[in-house]
Amino acid sequence: MNVELELLFVRLRWPVASARWWVMQELADLLVSPALADQVLARLTQELRECRLEVEAVEILSIFWMAFHQGWAPPKDLGDAVLRPSMLTERLLADMKLVVQASSMPPLVAAPGDYQVTEEFERRQGRDVPRIHYSTVTSLQRRFGFPFVRQMAYEWDQSKEAYPDSPFQGDLAYFVRPAGDNGIGSFADRTSLRMMTAFIRTMEVARS
């Protein structure tokens, strides 16, 4: 086991956007490096197959995409490792002249007619996650008359199954406490990932 490489993958799941972005760039650079390319490819492919949320697959695939734009040649079957596909992974793969093979899992379904938007979903908007996704689906709902907000709330509830034992990450302050009481963290925690996945899947349901 390459301990230093594994430490990078641990940091890739930290709930701090700047740390994750730094790790993504480091992994892309290592993927281009002849000395570690095969090892990094195998580890990233494994990580891509194990993604539980669509936005996680986008994040991992973006590392391959960054390496591609540095001259790295992806394997032709890379798309087979995308088990949480979306229109975003399709775009990344298409830019690398590849295609995705898997269907959406769990399957895309419209929210039941009697489904009610939960108070918890509403409460998290603008507090735990940026309002941009909620504002976007609200605007689309007003424009087209389809229940985008209800669908996004439904997908949010369903995403709990991705991490049934821990749908939310723990003490986020742990990662920014060294910055002092006035430090403001830029987070990419599990709550945000689930909300972004709910938005992506809502757009996929609309597209289908």
Side-chain angles (χ1 to χ4, degrees):
M1 179 191 297
N2 186 322
V3 176
E4 293 179 347
L5 183 59
E6 290 305 313
L7 284 173
L8 285 177
F9 278 93
V10 169
R11 291 179 179 181
L12 185 61
R13 293 304 174 213
W14 281 6
V16 183
S18 58
R20 294 160 78 106
W21 172 235
W22 176 82
V23 171
M24 290 171 68
Q25 294 176 86
E26 287 293 311
L27 289 172
D29 289 342
L30 291 175
L31 196 54
V32 178
S33 168
L36 289 173
D38 290 344
Q39 189 174 353
V40 175
L41 172 60
R43 188 64 180 81
L44 276 173
T45 303
Q46 174 189 346
E47 194 78 9
L48 184 58
R49 290 185 180 277
E50 294 176 354
C51 289
R52 303 185 188 186
L53 299 169
E54 279 76 358
V55 73
E56 291 176 342
V58 172
E59 193 172 64
I60 299 298
L61 200 58
S62 294
I63 299 171
F64 290 109
W65 180 81
M66 287 190 289
F68 172 77
H69 282 279
Q70 296 182 47
W72 175 75
K76 296 299 183 183
D77 62 350
L78 180 61
D80 296 346
V82 181
L83 305 183
R84 296 285 178 171
S86 65
M87 63 183 76
L88 296 179
T89 54
E90 287 177 9
R91 292 291 297 273
L92 291 169
L93 287 168
D95 195 54
M96 294 186 283
K97 307 299 187 290
L98 301 172
V99 295
V100 64
Q101 303 293 338
S103 300
S104 295
M105 289 297 293
L108 297 169
V109 296
D114 60 351
Y115 175 79
Q116 299 293 319
V117 177
T118 64
E119 188 273 336
E120 183 216 18
F121 173 80
E122 298 278 4
R123 187 178 68 249
R124 293 192 179 277
Q125 308 304 324
R127 189 192 72 175
D128 299 317
V129 297
R131 290 188 64 89
I132 181 63
H133 304 100
Y134 184 83
S135 298
T136 299
V137 294
T138 300
S139 176
L140 289 171
Q141 182 166 297
R142 285 197 298 263
R143 181 176 179 184
F144 296 105
F146 296 116
F148 286 98
V149 173
R150 186 177 70 185
Q151 184 66 38
M152 184 171 161
Y154 174 74
E155 297 291 353
W156 158 259
D157 281 345
Q158 296 302 302
S159 71
K160 290 179 181 178
E161 298 303 317
Y163 292 96
D165 297 327
S166 182
F168 310 107
Q169 279 173 294
D171 183 13
L172 298 181
Y174 169 84
F175 293 90
V176 294
R177 193 171 290 120
D181 294 337
N182 296 322
I184 298 175
S186 176
F187 298 118
D189 65 343
R190 192 164 295 157
T191 303
S192 297
L193 297 180
R194 286 180 53 208
M195 196 65 72
M196 285 186 279
T197 288
F199 177 80
I200 289 173
R201 288 182 61 86
T202 297
M203 296 300 102
E204 292 289 344
V205 170
R207 183 172 69 156
S208 63

mmCIF file of all heavy atoms in Angstrom, residues 31-77:
data_model
loop_
_atom_site.group_PDB
_atom_site.id
_atom_site.type_symbol
_atom_site.label_atom_id
_atom_site.label_comp_id
_atom_site.label_asym_id
_atom_site.label_seq_id
_atom_site.Cartn_x
_atom_site.Cartn_y
_atom_site.Cartn_z
ATOM 1 N N LEU A 31 -1.496 11.266 -11.960
ATOM 2 C CA LEU A 31 -2.001 10.402 -13.029
ATOM 3 C C LEU A 31 -1.189 10.591 -14.309
ATOM 4 O O LEU A 31 -1.044 9.668 -15.116
ATOM 5 C CB LEU A 31 -3.482 10.706 -13.286
ATOM 6 C CG LEU A 31 -4.308 9.697 -14.081
ATOM 7 C CD1 LEU A 31 -4.220 8.304 -13.476
ATOM 8 C CD2 LEU A 31 -5.756 10.161 -14.139
ATOM 9 N N VAL A 32 -0.651 11.770 -14.477
ATOM 10 C CA VAL A 32 0.177 12.069 -15.647
ATOM 11 C C VAL A 32 1.617 11.595 -15.432
ATOM 12 O O VAL A 32 2.358 11.353 -16.388
ATOM 13 C CB VAL A 32 0.147 13.581 -15.954
ATOM 14 C CG1 VAL A 32 1.029 13.934 -17.135
ATOM 15 C CG2 VAL A 32 -1.292 14.027 -16.228
ATOM 16 N N SER A 33 2.016 11.432 -14.183
ATOM 17 C CA SER A 33 3.384 11.041 -13.855
ATOM 18 C C SER A 33 3.637 9.578 -14.201
ATOM 19 O O SER A 33 2.924 8.691 -13.711
ATOM 20 C CB SER A 33 3.649 11.260 -12.362
ATOM 21 O OG SER A 33 4.858 10.652 -11.962
ATOM 22 N N PRO A 34 4.638 9.258 -15.032
ATOM 23 C CA PRO A 34 4.913 7.865 -15.411
ATOM 24 C C PRO A 34 5.194 6.955 -14.216
ATOM 25 O O PRO A 34 4.836 5.780 -14.226
ATOM 26 C CB PRO A 34 6.142 7.978 -16.320
ATOM 27 C CG PRO A 34 6.113 9.383 -16.837
ATOM 28 C CD PRO A 34 5.536 10.208 -15.715
ATOM 29 N N ALA A 35 5.781 7.502 -13.172
ATOM 30 C CA ALA A 35 6.174 6.678 -12.032
ATOM 31 C C ALA A 35 4.979 6.115 -11.268
ATOM 32 O O ALA A 35 5.036 5.002 -10.736
ATOM 33 C CB ALA A 35 7.061 7.492 -11.092
ATOM 34 N N LEU A 36 3.881 6.870 -11.204
ATOM 35 C CA LEU A 36 2.739 6.449 -10.391
ATOM 36 C C LEU A 36 1.445 6.308 -11.188
ATOM 37 O O LEU A 36 0.398 6.009 -10.607
ATOM 38 C CB LEU A 36 2.512 7.449 -9.254
ATOM 39 C CG LEU A 36 3.549 7.458 -8.129
ATOM 40 C CD1 LEU A 36 3.277 8.604 -7.171
ATOM 41 C CD2 LEU A 36 3.525 6.131 -7.376
ATOM 42 N N ALA A 37 1.497 6.509 -12.484
ATOM 43 C CA ALA A 37 0.282 6.557 -13.290
ATOM 44 C C ALA A 37 -0.583 5.309 -13.134
ATOM 45 O O ALA A 37 -1.797 5.401 -12.899
ATOM 46 C CB ALA A 37 0.637 6.772 -14.758
ATOM 47 N N ASP A 38 0.005 4.124 -13.241
ATOM 48 C CA ASP A 38 -0.778 2.888 -13.166
ATOM 49 C C ASP A 38 -1.415 2.707 -11.793
ATOM 50 O O ASP A 38 -2.576 2.306 -11.677
ATOM 51 C CB ASP A 38 0.117 1.686 -13.482
ATOM 52 C CG ASP A 38 0.541 1.642 -14.938
ATOM 53 O OD1 ASP A 38 -0.078 2.348 -15.760
ATOM 54 O OD2 ASP A 38 1.505 0.908 -15.250
ATOM 55 N N GLN A 39 -0.658 3.021 -10.757
ATOM 56 C CA GLN A 39 -1.173 2.865 -9.396
ATOM 57 C C GLN A 39 -2.307 3.847 -9.118
ATOM 58 O O GLN A 39 -3.325 3.484 -8.521
ATOM 59 C CB GLN A 39 -0.030 3.073 -8.400
ATOM 60 C CG GLN A 39 -0.375 2.724 -6.972
ATOM 61 C CD GLN A 39 0.846 2.803 -6.058
ATOM 62 O OE1 GLN A 39 1.956 2.999 -6.518
ATOM 63 N NE2 GLN A 39 0.626 2.667 -4.759
ATOM 64 N N VAL A 40 -2.142 5.080 -9.563
ATOM 65 C CA VAL A 40 -3.174 6.094 -9.349
ATOM 66 C C VAL A 40 -4.413 5.762 -10.178
ATOM 67 O O VAL A 40 -5.545 5.920 -9.709
ATOM 68 C CB VAL A 40 -2.634 7.494 -9.709
ATOM 69 C CG1 VAL A 40 -3.741 8.538 -9.614
ATOM 70 C CG2 VAL A 40 -1.493 7.871 -8.774
ATOM 71 N N LEU A 41 -4.220 5.293 -11.408
ATOM 72 C CA LEU A 41 -5.356 4.910 -12.251
ATOM 73 C C LEU A 41 -6.173 3.817 -11.590
ATOM 74 O O LEU A 41 -7.413 3.902 -11.534
ATOM 75 C CB LEU A 41 -4.854 4.445 -13.619
ATOM 76 C CG LEU A 41 -5.911 3.821 -14.550
ATOM 77 C CD1 LEU A 41 -7.017 4.826 -14.851
ATOM 78 C CD2 LEU A 41 -5.257 3.314 -15.829
ATOM 79 N N ALA A 42 -5.511 2.788 -11.070
ATOM 80 C CA ALA A 42 -6.226 1.687 -10.431
ATOM 81 C C ALA A 42 -6.990 2.167 -9.199
ATOM 82 O O ALA A 42 -8.152 1.787 -8.984
ATOM 83 C CB ALA A 42 -5.235 0.586 -10.040
ATOM 84 N N ARG A 43 -6.361 3.015 -8.399
ATOM 85 C CA ARG A 43 -7.007 3.496 -7.166
ATOM 86 C C ARG A 43 -8.163 4.432 -7.481
ATOM 87 O O ARG A 43 -9.215 4.355 -6.832
ATOM 88 C CB ARG A 43 -5.956 4.196 -6.302
ATOM 89 C CG ARG A 43 -6.454 4.574 -4.922
ATOM 90 C CD ARG A 43 -6.814 3.355 -4.107
ATOM 91 N NE ARG A 43 -7.295 3.747 -2.793
ATOM 92 C CZ ARG A 43 -8.533 4.165 -2.544
ATOM 93 N NH1 ARG A 43 -9.427 4.237 -3.522
ATOM 94 N NH2 ARG A 43 -8.900 4.505 -1.318
ATOM 95 N N LEU A 44 -8.003 5.301 -8.465
ATOM 96 C CA LEU A 44 -9.086 6.213 -8.847
ATOM 97 C C LEU A 44 -10.255 5.454 -9.464
ATOM 98 O O LEU A 44 -11.421 5.785 -9.221
ATOM 99 C CB LEU A 44 -8.563 7.259 -9.838
ATOM 100 C CG LEU A 44 -7.881 8.488 -9.259
ATOM 101 C CD1 LEU A 44 -7.271 9.323 -10.380
ATOM 102 C CD2 LEU A 44 -8.858 9.335 -8.443
ATOM 103 N N THR A 45 -9.948 4.446 -10.273
ATOM 104 C CA THR A 45 -11.016 3.650 -10.886
ATOM 105 C C THR A 45 -11.813 2.921 -9.819
ATOM 106 O O THR A 45 -13.045 2.842 -9.883
ATOM 107 C CB THR A 45 -10.426 2.654 -11.893
ATOM 108 O OG1 THR A 45 -9.676 3.356 -12.890
ATOM 109 C CG2 THR A 45 -11.538 1.871 -12.582
ATOM 110 N N GLN A 46 -11.113 2.396 -8.819
ATOM 111 C CA GLN A 46 -11.799 1.752 -7.699
ATOM 112 C C GLN A 46 -12.706 2.745 -6.986
ATOM 113 O O GLN A 46 -13.860 2.443 -6.662
ATOM 114 C CB GLN A 46 -10.772 1.186 -6.716
ATOM 115 C CG GLN A 46 -11.377 0.610 -5.442
ATOM 116 C CD GLN A 46 -10.319 0.271 -4.404
ATOM 117 O OE1 GLN A 46 -9.130 0.220 -4.691
ATOM 118 N NE2 GLN A 46 -10.749 0.065 -3.163
ATOM 119 N N GLU A 47 -12.172 3.944 -6.738
ATOM 120 C CA GLU A 47 -12.958 4.982 -6.065
ATOM 121 C C GLU A 47 -14.180 5.366 -6.891
ATOM 122 O O GLU A 47 -15.274 5.582 -6.350
ATOM 123 C CB GLU A 47 -12.069 6.205 -5.833
ATOM 124 C CG GLU A 47 -12.636 7.215 -4.863
ATOM 125 C CD GLU A 47 -12.485 6.814 -3.404
ATOM 126 O OE1 GLU A 47 -11.778 5.820 -3.119
ATOM 127 O OE2 GLU A 47 -13.079 7.505 -2.554
ATOM 128 N N LEU A 48 -14.018 5.437 -8.204
ATOM 129 C CA LEU A 48 -15.127 5.794 -9.094
ATOM 130 C C LEU A 48 -16.229 4.741 -9.036
ATOM 131 O O LEU A 48 -17.413 5.068 -9.001
ATOM 132 C CB LEU A 48 -14.603 5.944 -10.520
ATOM 133 C CG LEU A 48 -15.591 6.406 -11.589
ATOM 134 C CD1 LEU A 48 -16.198 7.758 -11.232
ATOM 135 C CD2 LEU A 48 -14.892 6.479 -12.954
ATOM 136 N N ARG A 49 -15.846 3.476 -9.007
ATOM 137 C CA ARG A 49 -16.830 2.389 -8.938
ATOM 138 C C ARG A 49 -17.577 2.391 -7.604
ATOM 139 O O ARG A 49 -18.726 1.951 -7.535
ATOM 140 C CB ARG A 49 -16.142 1.034 -9.132
ATOM 141 C CG ARG A 49 -15.644 0.787 -10.549
ATOM 142 C CD ARG A 49 -15.090 -0.625 -10.692
ATOM 143 N NE ARG A 49 -14.612 -0.879 -12.034
ATOM 144 C CZ ARG A 49 -15.382 -1.238 -13.053
ATOM 145 N NH1 ARG A 49 -16.691 -1.400 -12.853
ATOM 146 N NH2 ARG A 49 -14.877 -1.455 -14.240
ATOM 147 N N GLU A 50 -16.932 2.878 -6.557
ATOM 148 C CA GLU A 50 -17.530 2.823 -5.222
ATOM 149 C C GLU A 50 -18.323 4.073 -4.859
ATOM 150 O O GLU A 50 -18.843 4.170 -3.746
ATOM 151 C CB GLU A 50 -16.427 2.591 -4.183
ATOM 152 C CG GLU A 50 -15.766 1.228 -4.306
ATOM 153 C CD GLU A 50 -14.610 1.030 -3.341
ATOM 154 O OE1 GLU A 50 -14.249 2.019 -2.647
ATOM 155 O OE2 GLU A 50 -14.060 -0.082 -3.280
ATOM 156 N N CYS A 51 -18.426 5.029 -5.767
ATOM 157 C CA CYS A 51 -19.199 6.247 -5.487
ATOM 158 C C CYS A 51 -20.641 5.895 -5.156
ATOM 159 O O CYS A 51 -21.271 5.072 -5.831
ATOM 160 C CB CYS A 51 -19.157 7.190 -6.695
ATOM 161 S SG CYS A 51 -17.559 7.975 -6.967
ATOM 162 N N ARG A 52 -21.187 6.543 -4.140
ATOM 163 C CA ARG A 52 -22.554 6.287 -3.715
ATOM 164 C C ARG A 52 -23.522 7.373 -4.162
ATOM 165 O O ARG A 52 -24.737 7.201 -4.071
ATOM 166 C CB ARG A 52 -22.608 6.162 -2.187
ATOM 167 C CG ARG A 52 -21.699 5.091 -1.621
ATOM 168 C CD ARG A 52 -21.924 4.955 -0.128
ATOM 169 N NE ARG A 52 -20.944 4.078 0.508
ATOM 170 C CZ ARG A 52 -21.001 3.709 1.780
ATOM 171 N NH1 ARG A 52 -22.002 4.152 2.553
ATOM 172 N NH2 ARG A 52 -20.077 2.917 2.286
ATOM 173 N N LEU A 53 -22.989 8.502 -4.586
ATOM 174 C CA LEU A 53 -23.810 9.632 -5.016
ATOM 175 C C LEU A 53 -23.332 10.110 -6.381
ATOM 176 O O LEU A 53 -22.143 10.040 -6.691
ATOM 177 C CB LEU A 53 -23.715 10.784 -4.010
ATOM 178 C CG LEU A 53 -24.196 10.500 -2.584
ATOM 179 C CD1 LEU A 53 -23.776 11.638 -1.660
ATOM 180 C CD2 LEU A 53 -25.712 10.313 -2.545
ATOM 181 N N GLU A 54 -24.256 10.618 -7.185
ATOM 182 C CA GLU A 54 -23.905 11.085 -8.523
ATOM 183 C C GLU A 54 -22.845 12.171 -8.493
ATOM 184 O O GLU A 54 -21.939 12.194 -9.327
ATOM 185 C CB GLU A 54 -25.163 11.597 -9.235
ATOM 186 C CG GLU A 54 -26.040 10.530 -9.853
ATOM 187 C CD GLU A 54 -26.882 9.759 -8.844
ATOM 188 O OE1 GLU A 54 -26.770 10.023 -7.621
ATOM 189 O OE2 GLU A 54 -27.647 8.875 -9.249
ATOM 190 N N VAL A 55 -22.931 13.080 -7.540
ATOM 191 C CA VAL A 55 -21.968 14.179 -7.489
ATOM 192 C C VAL A 55 -20.571 13.675 -7.121
ATOM 193 O O VAL A 55 -19.566 14.258 -7.533
ATOM 194 C CB VAL A 55 -22.447 15.274 -6.510
ATOM 195 C CG1 VAL A 55 -22.314 14.839 -5.063
ATOM 196 C CG2 VAL A 55 -21.694 16.576 -6.743
ATOM 197 N N GLU A 56 -20.479 12.582 -6.369
ATOM 198 C CA GLU A 56 -19.177 11.982 -6.087
ATOM 199 C C GLU A 56 -18.540 11.461 -7.369
ATOM 200 O O GLU A 56 -17.329 11.598 -7.580
ATOM 201 C CB GLU A 56 -19.329 10.848 -5.072
ATOM 202 C CG GLU A 56 -19.702 11.308 -3.676
ATOM 203 C CD GLU A 56 -19.947 10.164 -2.716
ATOM 204 O OE1 GLU A 56 -20.158 9.022 -3.190
ATOM 205 O OE2 GLU A 56 -19.920 10.390 -1.490
ATOM 206 N N ALA A 57 -19.360 10.856 -8.233
ATOM 207 C CA ALA A 57 -18.842 10.353 -9.512
ATOM 208 C C ALA A 57 -18.342 11.504 -10.380
ATOM 209 O O ALA A 57 -17.317 11.390 -11.054
ATOM 210 C CB ALA A 57 -19.929 9.571 -10.245
ATOM 211 N N VAL A 58 -19.054 12.620 -10.368
ATOM 212 C CA VAL A 58 -18.620 13.809 -11.117
ATOM 213 C C VAL A 58 -17.264 14.285 -10.599
ATOM 214 O O VAL A 58 -16.363 14.616 -11.366
ATOM 215 C CB VAL A 58 -19.669 14.937 -11.013
ATOM 216 C CG1 VAL A 58 -19.134 16.226 -11.620
ATOM 217 C CG2 VAL A 58 -20.962 14.528 -11.707
ATOM 218 N N GLU A 59 -17.124 14.292 -9.289
ATOM 219 C CA GLU A 59 -15.891 14.761 -8.655
ATOM 220 C C GLU A 59 -14.695 13.889 -9.057
ATOM 221 O O GLU A 59 -13.642 14.404 -9.451
ATOM 222 C CB GLU A 59 -16.083 14.732 -7.143
ATOM 223 C CG GLU A 59 -15.045 15.471 -6.336
ATOM 224 C CD GLU A 59 -15.441 15.548 -4.873
ATOM 225 O OE1 GLU A 59 -15.525 14.485 -4.225
ATOM 226 O OE2 GLU A 59 -15.674 16.655 -4.362
ATOM 227 N N ILE A 60 -14.856 12.565 -8.968
ATOM 228 C CA ILE A 60 -13.757 11.658 -9.325
ATOM 229 C C ILE A 60 -13.462 11.724 -10.810
ATOM 230 O O ILE A 60 -12.291 11.778 -11.231
ATOM 231 C CB ILE A 60 -14.085 10.213 -8.907
ATOM 232 C CG1 ILE A 60 -14.286 10.116 -7.390
ATOM 233 C CG2 ILE A 60 -12.970 9.266 -9.365
ATOM 234 C CD1 ILE A 60 -13.073 10.486 -6.579
ATOM 235 N N LEU A 61 -14.503 11.742 -11.618
ATOM 236 C CA LEU A 61 -14.295 11.783 -13.064
ATOM 237 C C LEU A 61 -13.609 13.086 -13.480
ATOM 238 O O LEU A 61 -12.868 13.116 -14.468
ATOM 239 C CB LEU A 61 -15.626 11.624 -13.791
ATOM 240 C CG LEU A 61 -15.553 11.175 -15.255
ATOM 241 C CD1 LEU A 61 -14.827 9.839 -15.380
ATOM 242 C CD2 LEU A 61 -16.940 11.078 -15.855
ATOM 243 N N SER A 62 -13.822 14.146 -12.728
ATOM 244 C CA SER A 62 -13.169 15.427 -13.026
ATOM 245 C C SER A 62 -11.653 15.324 -12.902
ATOM 246 O O SER A 62 -10.917 16.031 -13.595
ATOM 247 C CB SER A 62 -13.694 16.526 -12.096
ATOM 248 O OG SER A 62 -15.060 16.791 -12.331
ATOM 249 N N ILE A 63 -11.179 14.436 -12.020
ATOM 250 C CA ILE A 63 -9.735 14.233 -11.883
ATOM 251 C C ILE A 63 -9.174 13.623 -13.163
ATOM 252 O O ILE A 63 -8.142 14.067 -13.682
ATOM 253 C CB ILE A 63 -9.434 13.327 -10.671
ATOM 254 C CG1 ILE A 63 -9.936 13.978 -9.378
ATOM 255 C CG2 ILE A 63 -7.940 13.024 -10.580
ATOM 256 C CD1 ILE A 63 -9.878 13.075 -8.161
ATOM 257 N N PHE A 64 -9.865 12.619 -13.689
ATOM 258 C CA PHE A 64 -9.453 12.034 -14.968
ATOM 259 C C PHE A 64 -9.483 13.095 -16.074
ATOM 260 O O PHE A 64 -8.589 13.154 -16.919
ATOM 261 C CB PHE A 64 -10.384 10.877 -15.349
ATOM 262 C CG PHE A 64 -10.253 9.658 -14.487
ATOM 263 C CD1 PHE A 64 -11.249 9.307 -13.595
ATOM 264 C CD2 PHE A 64 -9.130 8.844 -14.578
ATOM 265 C CE1 PHE A 64 -11.139 8.167 -12.812
ATOM 266 C CE2 PHE A 64 -9.007 7.691 -13.798
ATOM 267 C CZ PHE A 64 -10.016 7.363 -12.910
ATOM 268 N N TRP A 65 -10.521 13.913 -16.046
ATOM 269 C CA TRP A 65 -10.696 14.944 -17.078
ATOM 270 C C TRP A 65 -9.570 15.976 -17.031
ATOM 271 O O TRP A 65 -9.052 16.393 -18.071
ATOM 272 C CB TRP A 65 -12.059 15.609 -16.876
ATOM 273 C CG TRP A 65 -12.389 16.690 -17.842
ATOM 274 C CD1 TRP A 65 -12.869 16.550 -19.112
ATOM 275 C CD2 TRP A 65 -12.276 18.103 -17.613
ATOM 276 N NE1 TRP A 65 -13.078 17.772 -19.688
ATOM 277 C CE2 TRP A 65 -12.719 18.740 -18.789
ATOM 278 C CE3 TRP A 65 -11.867 18.874 -16.532
ATOM 279 C CZ2 TRP A 65 -12.745 20.132 -18.905
ATOM 280 C CZ3 TRP A 65 -11.894 20.253 -16.652
ATOM 281 C CH2 TRP A 65 -12.325 20.865 -17.823
ATOM 282 N N MET A 66 -9.156 16.368 -15.819
ATOM 283 C CA MET A 66 -8.048 17.319 -15.690
ATOM 284 C C MET A 66 -6.752 16.705 -16.216
ATOM 285 O O MET A 66 -5.954 17.380 -16.880
ATOM 286 C CB MET A 66 -7.898 17.756 -14.233
ATOM 287 C CG MET A 66 -8.987 18.693 -13.758
ATOM 288 S SD MET A 66 -8.647 19.428 -12.130
ATOM 289 C CE MET A 66 -8.874 18.007 -11.060
ATOM 290 N N ALA A 67 -6.527 15.423 -15.914
ATOM 291 C CA ALA A 67 -5.329 14.748 -16.415
ATOM 292 C C ALA A 67 -5.376 14.634 -17.937
ATOM 293 O O ALA A 67 -4.347 14.777 -18.612
ATOM 294 C CB ALA A 67 -5.205 13.368 -15.780
ATOM 295 N N PHE A 68 -6.558 14.384 -18.469
ATOM 296 C CA PHE A 68 -6.736 14.294 -19.918
ATOM 297 C C PHE A 68 -6.274 15.575 -20.601
ATOM 298 O O PHE A 68 -5.627 15.546 -21.649
ATOM 299 C CB PHE A 68 -8.206 14.009 -20.238
ATOM 300 C CG PHE A 68 -8.553 14.084 -21.697
ATOM 301 C CD1 PHE A 68 -8.225 13.042 -22.560
ATOM 302 C CD2 PHE A 68 -9.205 15.202 -22.211
ATOM 303 C CE1 PHE A 68 -8.553 13.112 -23.916
ATOM 304 C CE2 PHE A 68 -9.533 15.279 -23.557
ATOM 305 C CZ PHE A 68 -9.205 14.230 -24.413
ATOM 306 N N HIS A 69 -6.589 16.712 -19.992
ATOM 307 C CA HIS A 69 -6.206 17.997 -20.582
ATOM 308 C C HIS A 69 -4.742 18.345 -20.315
ATOM 309 O O HIS A 69 -4.281 19.406 -20.741
ATOM 310 C CB HIS A 69 -7.142 19.094 -20.082
ATOM 311 C CG HIS A 69 -8.472 19.080 -20.779
ATOM 312 N ND1 HIS A 69 -8.670 19.639 -22.015
ATOM 313 C CD2 HIS A 69 -9.657 18.529 -20.421
ATOM 314 C CE1 HIS A 69 -9.917 19.467 -22.388
ATOM 315 N NE2 HIS A 69 -10.552 18.789 -21.442
ATOM 316 N N GLN A 70 -4.046 17.437 -19.624
ATOM 317 C CA GLN A 70 -2.586 17.559 -19.495
ATOM 318 C C GLN A 70 -1.870 16.561 -20.412
ATOM 319 O O GLN A 70 -0.660 16.393 -20.321
ATOM 320 C CB GLN A 70 -2.149 17.322 -18.050
ATOM 321 C CG GLN A 70 -2.665 18.355 -17.054
ATOM 322 C CD GLN A 70 -2.160 18.098 -15.644
ATOM 323 O OE1 GLN A 70 -0.966 17.857 -15.430
ATOM 324 N NE2 GLN A 70 -3.063 18.125 -14.671
ATOM 325 N N GLY A 71 -2.643 15.890 -21.266
ATOM 326 C CA GLY A 71 -2.040 14.958 -22.214
ATOM 327 C C GLY A 71 -2.190 13.496 -21.873
ATOM 328 O O GLY A 71 -1.707 12.630 -22.604
ATOM 329 N N TRP A 72 -2.851 13.166 -20.746
ATOM 330 C CA TRP A 72 -3.037 11.779 -20.346
ATOM 331 C C TRP A 72 -4.088 11.106 -21.224
ATOM 332 O O TRP A 72 -5.120 11.701 -21.544
ATOM 333 C CB TRP A 72 -3.454 11.726 -18.881
ATOM 334 C CG TRP A 72 -3.793 10.362 -18.371
ATOM 335 C CD1 TRP A 72 -2.930 9.357 -18.067
ATOM 336 C CD2 TRP A 72 -5.111 9.856 -18.078
ATOM 337 N NE1 TRP A 72 -3.607 8.251 -17.603
ATOM 338 C CE2 TRP A 72 -4.946 8.537 -17.609
ATOM 339 C CE3 TRP A 72 -6.399 10.398 -18.165
ATOM 340 C CZ2 TRP A 72 -6.041 7.747 -17.230
ATOM 341 C CZ3 TRP A 72 -7.469 9.613 -17.790
ATOM 342 C CH2 TRP A 72 -7.284 8.306 -17.326
ATOM 343 N N ALA A 73 -3.854 9.857 -21.613
ATOM 344 C CA ALA A 73 -4.788 9.116 -22.463
ATOM 345 C C ALA A 73 -5.606 8.151 -21.606
ATOM 346 O O ALA A 73 -5.056 7.207 -21.032
ATOM 347 C CB ALA A 73 -4.028 8.356 -23.537
ATOM 348 N N PRO A 74 -6.911 8.346 -21.483
ATOM 349 C CA PRO A 74 -7.734 7.477 -20.635
ATOM 350 C C PRO A 74 -7.972 6.119 -21.297
ATOM 351 O O PRO A 74 -7.992 6.018 -22.529
ATOM 352 C CB PRO A 74 -9.043 8.251 -20.510
ATOM 353 C CG PRO A 74 -9.120 9.049 -21.775
ATOM 354 C CD PRO A 74 -7.704 9.420 -22.101
ATOM 355 N N PRO A 75 -8.149 5.067 -20.495
ATOM 356 C CA PRO A 75 -8.503 3.761 -21.057
ATOM 357 C C PRO A 75 -9.894 3.823 -21.687
ATOM 358 O O PRO A 75 -10.769 4.551 -21.211
ATOM 359 C CB PRO A 75 -8.464 2.827 -19.851
ATOM 360 C CG PRO A 75 -8.653 3.712 -18.664
ATOM 361 C CD PRO A 75 -8.023 5.020 -19.023
ATOM 362 N N LYS A 76 -10.100 3.054 -22.731
ATOM 363 C CA LYS A 76 -11.362 3.103 -23.467
ATOM 364 C C LYS A 76 -12.559 2.654 -22.634
ATOM 365 O O LYS A 76 -13.696 3.037 -22.911
ATOM 366 C CB LYS A 76 -11.263 2.246 -24.732
ATOM 367 C CG LYS A 76 -10.228 2.744 -25.743
ATOM 368 C CD LYS A 76 -10.573 4.137 -26.233
ATOM 369 C CE LYS A 76 -9.572 4.603 -27.295
ATOM 370 N NZ LYS A 76 -9.857 5.993 -27.741
ATOM 371 N N ASP A 77 -12.301 1.838 -21.613
ATOM 372 C CA ASP A 77 -13.402 1.323 -20.802
ATOM 373 C C ASP A 77 -13.619 2.109 -19.513
ATOM 374 O O ASP A 77 -14.299 1.638 -18.600
ATOM 375 C CB ASP A 77 -13.164 -0.147 -20.469
ATOM 376 C CG ASP A 77 -11.887 -0.368 -19.650
ATOM 377 O OD1 ASP A 77 -11.093 0.590 -19.511
ATOM 378 O OD2 ASP A 77 -11.697 -1.494 -19.147
#
